Amino acid sequence: MPNAINVTRGMLEFWIDPGSPYHKEFFANGNRFVFFCAGGIRSALATKTAQDMGLTPVCHIEGGYGAWKKAGASTVTVEPKLAG
């Protein structure tokens, strides 16, 4: 998805929490956050977690990336990063 930021599920709470040494400033900017995953289930759980942590506004895409793509919404191709 255009302008998407990859947040691994294992780091979500650390990145949202301003008291965490792993906190990411983009979670403190007041923007709207739209979570998505492949099918929409993990993003629903991530959305609930973010809301419970006080992050607003937050939502997720029902059906995930698959539904987004099926609806013909805009996508981008990201080149893989080479190790080394």
Side-chain angles (χ1 to χ4, degrees), residues 42-78:
R42 287 169 298 172
S43 61
L45 296 172
T47 299
K48 173 77 167 97
T49 296
Q51 290 170 335
D52 289 349
M53 293 181 73
L55 189 66
T56 61
V58 180
C59 63
H60 84 107
I61 296 175
E62 187 174 336
Y65 181 74
W68 176 271
K69 196 169 178 180
K70 185 176 179 180
S74 180
T75 61
V76 294
T77 301
V78 178

Side-chain angles (χ1 to χ4, degrees), residues 1-46:
M1 294 179 182
N3 301 311
I5 298 171
N6 182 28
V7 178
T8 61
R9 181 60 193 91
M11 292 301 293
L12 180 66
E13 290 87 346
F14 295 108
W15 285 17
I16 292 173
D17 181 1
S20 166
Y22 302 103
H23 174 69
K24 299 292 184 183
E25 283 300 317
F26 58 80
F27 277 118
N29 64 13
N31 285 339
R32 179 179 183 206
F33 294 94
V34 180
F35 291 100
F36 69 94
C37 62
I41 296 181
R42 287 169 298 172
S43 61
L45 296 172

